[in-house]
Amino acid sequence: MFLSLGIRFEANVEAMNMVETTGNYSKHRRVPYIIESENLVKIIYVPAVSGESIDNAYQEPLAMEARAEDQSVCTLCTRGEFLKSMDQVYAKEKFDGRDLPKEPEELEQGIVKKCTVEDVGGFLYAGKPPIKRTSAFQVSYALPIKNFAVYSMLEPQLHARHAQLRDVEKREEGAAEQMIYYVEIGTAIYGFVFNLDLMAIGMSALTGKPVLSIDEIRSRRRAAIKSLARMVSSGQFGAKLSRFFPLGGIRSLVLTATDKPFTVTSPIYEKYEETTLKRLEKISKEFSEECKCYILGKDGLETPEDAFSKLISYLREKDII
Ligand SMILES: [Zn+2]
């Protein structure tokens, strides 16, 4: 079973993805973007949030949900430090301090068993032998939607940090009472895509065979879906949320469940919900596959949470989770 999510959200005054600080100026990520106007194709620069940033925001609730389901999660992933089993030092915990196995299959199996986050999110072990486990989920950058891209804005905002004025004369020379700094904020309607291959969870990428029992695999799939729902519902993605929590919210959402890989139409395009539905109808007919499509605002789905709850019921019925 393959899940695909397309989502649009409005973010007013956000600093979700800062890329560099020069002096007292923090710069927002910006990327080249194609727009068409008056029969001309142009490239403009727009604010963006990287896939790495959203990936991090997904794996944090994944560690939390996995632990809530009594699954094994390594110390660093529990802390939200996703260095993963990149070498012998970081992989050691998964083997309880024993020598690491020499066979790639045994190494992968040991790591996957001991950490749900590394099972779902993949890892790259650069030891001998090197092992690459591809992530079961894929995520795009969040980019302004096409119709709105030219209106998306980046603007520096002035802020000041004040020191206490009391006893100022006693302080060392050069201690500033006030420091001004600029944070470049973005405002846009963003869209991004998130895919999740449920069938890759708990399976060896090397042998294609299950590494865990079917019950454990179901439990990990549940954690993988719940953490996606949690990320969308909580809006806990991106940086600087403590003082620049974006105002706005989810404008539209499409969630699909298919037997084979299928990606929703990109939410940067208008009518992406209808196009996704049309494409799915064709796939369902031509390949005789059962496809599910949950669209916010349709079939009684009033909130994003409704879409996830429908999906979870469906997957339960199918014995997938
Ligand atoms: Zn881990």
Side-chain angles (χ1 to χ4, degrees):
M1 189 69 57
F2 195 89
L3 307 182
S4 183
L5 167 77
I7 192 164
R8 274 183 177 188
F9 66 96
E10 179 180 331
N12 293 287
V13 187
E14 54 79 17
M16 291 192 285
N17 198 183
M18 312 309 281
V19 282
E20 61 178 325
T21 303
T22 315
N24 63 351
Y25 194 98
S26 301
K27 206 172 161 208
H28 198 291
R29 183 181 294 279
R30 62 192 79 204
V31 293
Y33 193 87
I34 295 172
I35 54 159
E36 285 168 67
S37 75
E38 293 156 9
N39 296 326
L40 277 175
V41 174
K42 293 182 193 167
I43 303 276
I44 59 168
Y45 279 81
V46 293
V49 181
S50 74
E52 293 280 357
S53 170
I54 301 171
D55 144 47
N56 218 64
Y58 171 68
Q59 291 186 110
E60 274 186 28
L62 177 60
M64 191 179 76
E65 294 297 336
R67 286 169 64 83
E69 294 246 359
D70 280 334
Q71 295 164 17
S72 185
V73 180
C74 77
T75 315
L76 282 179
C77 289
T78 303
R79 270 197 248 146
E81 293 172 30
F82 303 115
L83 296 162
K84 303 195 176 166
S85 304
M86 61 176 177
D87 59 20
Q88 287 192 344
V89 175
Y90 289 95
K92 221 172 174 119
E93 183 188 330
K94 281 91 181 178
F95 299 91
D96 304 317
R98 281 177 282 120
D99 284 345
L100 268 59
K102 299 274 179 286
E103 292 301 314
E105 291 84 4
E106 282 178 49
L107 252 171
E108 188 207 22
Q109 200 172 69
I111 297 169
V112 168
K113 273 187 177 168
K114 286 293 172 79
C115 188
T116 298
V117 176
E118 289 170 65
D119 176 8
V120 179
F123 59 86
L124 183 64
Y125 175 76
K128 280 183 192 160
I131 304 171
K132 179 179 170 230
R133 181 173 175 83
T134 305
S135 170
F137 70 88
Q138 306 167 330
V139 63
S140 71
Y141 267 46
L143 298 180
I145 61 170
K146 286 271 168 181
N147 273 4
F148 196 81
V150 285
Y151 304 111
S152 59
M153 291 283 282
L154 281 165
E155 182 70 23
Q157 295 295 315
L158 172 71
H159 293 271
R161 229 171 245 144
H162 296 276
Q164 274 188 335
L165 288 175
R166 191 158 50 97
D167 298 334
V168 72
E169 68 282 355
K170 289 185 197 158
R171 281 207 208 110
E172 280 176 38
E173 211 174 317
E177 285 84 56
Q178 177 178 288
M179 190 191 88
I180 58 165
Y181 62 99
Y182 294 88
V183 177
E184 212 172 55
I185 55 99
T187 285
I189 297 176
Y190 290 104
F192 72 85
V193 167
F194 189 106
N195 292 335
L196 176 62
D197 184 2
L198 286 177
M199 293 318 177
I201 298 173
M203 304 296 281
S204 165
L206 299 169
T207 64
K209 290 186 182 144
V211 172
L212 307 158
S213 73
I214 186 66
D215 283 343
E216 287 171 311
I217 290 177
R218 280 201 196 103
S219 165
R220 286 193 177 189
R221 288 176 187 156
R222 260 197 313 275
I225 295 167
K226 280 184 178 174
S227 48
L228 179 57
R230 188 82 74 179
M231 178 182 82
V232 169
S233 184
S234 66
Q236 293 294 315
F237 49 92
K240 281 195 172 289
L241 297 183
S242 47
R243 295 296 179 271
F244 292 86
F245 195 90
L247 283 170
I250 295 165
R251 288 285 200 97
S252 62
L253 174 151
V254 175
L255 187 55
T256 63
T258 48
D259 280 346
K260 302 276 161 31
F262 171 87
T263 300
V264 296
T265 300
S266 176
I268 61 171
Y269 298 118
E270 289 309 294
K271 297 188 178 163
Y272 75 101
E273 301 105 316
E274 289 90 332
T275 319
T276 302
L277 200 54
K278 276 185 200 159
R279 290 172 52 220
L280 268 186
E281 279 163 7
K282 293 250 161 65
I283 295 271
S284 167
K285 206 173 137 203
E286 297 301 330
F287 295 90
S288 310
E289 283 173 23
E290 193 180 341
C291 306
K292 286 280 171 188
C293 184
Y294 306 100
I295 299 176
L296 184 62
K298 250 186 131 180
D299 305 323
L301 301 177
E302 290 175 8
T303 64
E305 289 78 6
D306 289 341
F308 280 100
S309 114
K310 277 264 164 107
L311 171 75
I312 288 169
S313 310
Y314 169 69
L315 295 174
R316 277 212 182 104
E317 257 168 49
K318 301 284 281 179
D319 234 3
I320 304 283
I321 58 171

